Amino acid sequence: MLVLGIESSCDDTAAAVVDNNDTGSVVLSSVVSSQDTLHSRYGGVVPELASRRHIEMIIPVVESALEDAGIGLGDLDAMAVTEAPGLVGSLLVGMSFIKGISFVNTMPFVGVNHILAHANAAFLVDDVGKDREGAEEAPEVPEFPFVALVVSGGHTTLLYMTDYGEYKVLGATLDDAAGEAFDKTAKVLGLGYPGGRVIDSLAKEGNRDAIPFPRALLSKESLDFSFSGIKTSVQTYIKKLHGGFDDITLRDISASFQEAVVDVLVKKAMRAMEAVNADTLVIAGGVACNSRLRVKAGEACSKADFDLYIPPPKYCSDNGAMIAALGYHKLKKGERADFSLNAKPGLKDF
Ligand code: KG4
Ligand code: ZN
């Protein structure tokens, strides 16, 4: 089933064509138009600017996705679009677009939850040189049930996944998301927006034991997260330096901050694995691009003998392929949306 996936929940306009069958979700194309430079001067996403840019970009992005996949609109079997959670004005652009296409072409479509789609990115398989006849072996994908840690700019969620789109929430952040902590700390350090990637690269040359930033592990059993305190700690630390800081200190702060966040993420994920007696962990979402998180999670999982799946960075950050792939499983179950489908911006609308 050829599915077009559209993602416009925050500040990336993304579209992808995914060919789904019993062996997996093969990505034929994935196009992402980032709005990073548009928002960087404001130190965060400006919702009104984001939705206006989505309107400008949605048609060229979809056209590129179809062209890269070597197909026309008429070759598609169905479409999927992010319906929740996200910025309402941004979500509505993708939804209105897909409704228009569906109306004109009588094409079925479904709405998809963005967080569940991130967890589902572990099932994406890259197109093998457009010659799938020759790609005999199905690449390894996780098996249900598994624990998914979804870490991005808007969410930090631990899920117990029992099937495609079937889940139980094990834990979530009580305040800032992990990516938000990276972005806010980067702002405090004068590194621009978004800050995760910059902190990651500065941290590579810093001393991660230089500053003992707090690890909010909450109570012993808790699978919830809290990241607002660490941003304040970095702020307080910088204030104490009065006259500013040199490049070495900047790298040390970045490395120590990153270590504290990653430490909590990995410890909580391991705690969740034990709590539900799982042996497979999936980590996804933009923060899963973090090089230190990838290493530390790898070490912890091999020590505990758990299988770990982290999608390649291009499928960790927002993309249309994860929407198309999860959409396929909903369509396969017979689900169809109609024109009353509406954006559900709130996080509770899973
Ligand atoms: O999943 P995503 O692309 O969008 C949301 O759904 O929010 O995640 C974006 C977040 C941003 O907060 C960004 O700073 C963070 O992912 N991020 C990283 C890295 N790359 C992106 N955080 C830490 N290390 C990275 N390498
Ligand atoms: Zn996301």
Side-chain angles (χ1 to χ4, degrees):
M1 192 191 274
L2 276 185
V3 181
L4 172 72
I6 295 201
E7 155 59 37
S8 70
S9 66
C10 188
D11 59 345
D12 289 314
T13 320
V17 177
V18 177
D19 186 1
N20 304 275
N21 52 45
D22 289 344
T23 53
S25 292
V26 182
V27 185
L28 301 187
S29 67
S30 181
V31 178
V32 180
S33 168
S34 164
Q35 299 183 1
D36 283 357
T37 42
L38 177 67
H39 302 288
S40 63
R41 80 180 93 152
Y42 305 103
V45 177
V46 183
E48 178 64 22
L49 294 180
S51 42
R52 281 166 189 261
R53 182 58 63 86
H54 284 307
I55 292 170
E56 287 164 16
M57 294 314 297
I58 189 100
I59 293 175
V61 165
V62 171
E63 281 176 344
S64 299
L66 292 171
E67 197 182 315
D68 289 359
I71 63 161
L73 206 52
D75 297 315
L76 292 169
D77 295 303
M79 299 177 291
V81 63
T82 308
E83 64 173 323
L87 301 169
V88 69
S90 291
L91 288 164
L92 283 173
V93 176
M95 297 196 112
S96 309
F97 178 84
I98 233 158
K99 284 181 194 174
I101 301 279
S102 173
F103 183 71
V104 173
N105 298 277
T106 334
M107 200 185 293
F109 66 100
V110 282
V112 167
N113 179 284
H114 183 88
I115 300 174
L116 300 180
H118 268 305
N120 200 65
F123 295 100
L124 294 176
V125 172
D126 263 328
D127 187 13
V128 190
K130 311 262 179 223
D131 178 21
R132 272 161 295 122
E133 296 299 313
E136 332 78 59
E137 271 184 68
E140 251 187 56
V141 290
E143 276 179 21
F144 292 106
F146 57 80
V147 169
L149 171 65
V150 180
V151 268
S152 69
H155 351 278
T156 305
T157 315
L158 271 165
L159 301 167
Y160 184 56
M161 304 292 311
T162 49
D163 199 350
Y164 299 102
E166 304 285 325
Y167 67 93
K168 189 177 159 226
V169 179
L170 301 174
T173 185
L174 302 175
D175 39 55
D176 291 353
E180 203 177 345
F182 270 96
D183 294 338
K184 285 181 174 170
T185 300
K187 196 173 174 184
V188 168
L189 294 171
L191 300 173
Y193 171 87
R197 213 176 317 138
V198 190
I199 290 186
D200 190 354
S201 97
L202 287 169
K204 289 195 173 108
E205 290 155 38
N207 174 4
R208 44 184 182 253
D209 300 319
I211 310 141
F213 288 125
R215 272 87 167 144
L217 290 165
L218 310 172
S219 73
K220 247 185 151 201
E221 307 77 40
S222 171
L223 295 174
D224 289 328
F225 301 87
S226 169
F227 289 113
S228 66
I230 187 159
K231 174 200 64 194
T232 315
S233 299
V234 174
Q235 249 163 344
T236 312
Y237 185 84
I238 292 169
K239 262 194 202 133
K240 281 191 196 146
L241 296 175
H242 300 297
F245 44 85
D246 58 16
D247 272 4
I248 296 172
T249 312
L250 175 64
R251 284 170 167 73
D252 285 350
I253 296 173
S254 300
S256 301
F257 159 80
Q258 177 176 277
E259 195 65 11
V261 173
V262 167
D263 223 15
V264 173
L265 291 175
V266 173
K267 282 206 174 98
K268 294 270 172 160
M270 292 300 123
R271 208 181 260 184
M273 294 290 286
E274 279 161 32
V276 296
N277 200 18
D279 57 14
T280 302
L281 174 66
V282 167
I283 308 182
V287 180
C289 298
N290 187 270
S291 57
R292 186 68 186 144
L293 175 59
R294 295 173 89 95
V295 168
K296 276 200 101 165
E299 286 168 359
C301 284
S302 62
K303 199 169 157 206
D305 207 16
F306 294 148
D307 288 331
L308 173 66
Y309 293 83
I310 311 181
K314 64 181 171 182
Y315 299 138
C316 282
S317 44
D318 287 351
N319 64 85
M322 64 184 194
I323 306 299
L326 183 54
Y328 160 71
H329 290 285
K330 297 182 92 175
L331 289 154
K332 208 173 119 187
K333 285 180 192 160
E335 192 177 316
R336 299 286 183 272
D338 60 29
F339 296 122
S340 68
L341 184 73
N342 206 352
K344 303 178 188 77
L347 193 63
K348 289 198 176 72
D349 293 308
F350 255 65

